[in-house]
Amino acid sequence: MSRIKIFDTTLRDGEQSPGVNLNHLEKLEIAKQLERFGVDRMEAGFPASSKGDFNAVKAIADTIETTSVTALARTVKSDIDIAWEALKGAKKPAIHLFLATSPIHMEFKLRKTAEEVIQTSVEMVRYAKEKFDDVQWSAEDASRSDLEFLAEIIEKVIDAGATVINLPDTVGYTTPAEYGHMFKYIKDNVPNIDQVALSCHCHNDLGMAVANSMAAVENGATQVEGTINGIGERAGNASLEEVAVALKIRSDFYPYETGLVLDEIKRTSDLVAKLTGMHVQANKAIVGRNAFAHESGIHQDGVLKNVETYEIITPEMVGVHTNTLFLGKHSGRHAFKGKVEEFGVQLSDEELQDAFNRFKVLTDYKKEVTDDDIYTLLMEIKTDSAQIEKYQLDSFQVYYGTGNTPTAVVKVTSPDGGHLEAAQTGRGSVEALYKTIESLIAEELNLIDYQLNSVGGGKDALAEAYVQMSVNGEVMNGRGSHQDVLMASANAYLNAVNRYILKHSTAGKKEKVVQ
Ligand code: KIV
Ligand code: ZN
């Protein structure tokens, strides 16, 4: 069977989802999990876009052992130089150059002629080749480009040294038949195409990203790009876990293999959902909560008689296991450390101590602490570690009862060490709490979305709150967990504010990048 390479862009295209702002420790955690998942390439970011992105790409490049680490760059020398600085420590560095080829992009966005687009692409691939052995070139908006022009430019960038050609459906406009035809045309009309890997990259605006990717594979694509849980700008990207399982389950139709470790899917999906604050819908294929649930009597009956009547994928195949009961009040530091290692999460001594302390507090509330609880707690630690100058919640009280006006009193420490206190009322307890915090924060805050989930079941389950907020007009996600729902809610609110502060500190500031 021939091999399809998997190119993950969760940390670059995925991070372009509104509100998602991962700090560099969170990105590193995801990168390590992607390596365990077995992706062939991971796109770690866009180093020229910000100091924060540069640092994250560099940290990932310096850490990852087996997976090729790539970074996005415009077809300009300075982007290529910056990408090289970030990636030169990688075991397998690669660069991803892109330039638009569709008439609408060339005329209105780039203000370049087709000839100029060819010339710039060829020159910049040659320039990148002086530093990188592995150079991917993408024809942005390929699916709306003229096929003859595409064939011409692709032949030239391959001659200039490109090793991967990517044909994105940038705006999620194409259909499976049309996208498949484009790959076939390029295979048939570019004489040197067999010297390179041919890649597909689909957006999901019409809900066809995975179907389009599969059509590309049927027609000669040897690399599939996408993100975990399908996150990404607008409606997102092709969902890699769906592509992976479709290739496996329908290997009769798609005779290809990947290097993916399928039973790492659930863990990878959970990690990305937790750290980005982007929840997976219950009916999402492969990783949704209901993906393996059979409700109707006829289905349940069929499954009991023979699981294959209605179940085409087993939960175990994608790493879905029932929540194992695990540590409790009497578990020691050694057992706890063992569990952390089992999760593959690396903690400094200080972080481990912090995690153990939080775990002990949790066992006071919860008799049975599950894997999910521990994992949630470890992700909290990772998020906290990266926030140096931040607002800290010192204490709060909420007075609430039927017939009373909910009132909150909150004390926080500001990033400059000042102690702040205020009280406000609201129509409900969460509103009172949020209005009070808002009155203490210098930034202009507006709540867009608020969600509360329980981690596992039971009355003593951990609460996990997610907020999406506008902070000074910018959309930010935040998350917080605690045994108490109000505490989890307060943590989520401050987490979004702190992410904003970190992003706008000198370390994280993003330039507005145009091409
Ligand atoms: O969708 C797209 O065209 C992209 C390019 C940068 C490859 O993400
Ligand atoms: Zn994209």
Side-chain angles (χ1 to χ4, degrees), residues 12-13 72 96 98 138 140-141 166 168-170 201 203 225:
R12 198 278 300 169
D13 228 345
L72 189 69
H96 178 190
F98 70 105
S138 283
E140 192 189 8
D141 207 16
N166 180 36
D169 179 29
T170 302
H201 175 117
H203 282 266
E225 305 195 359

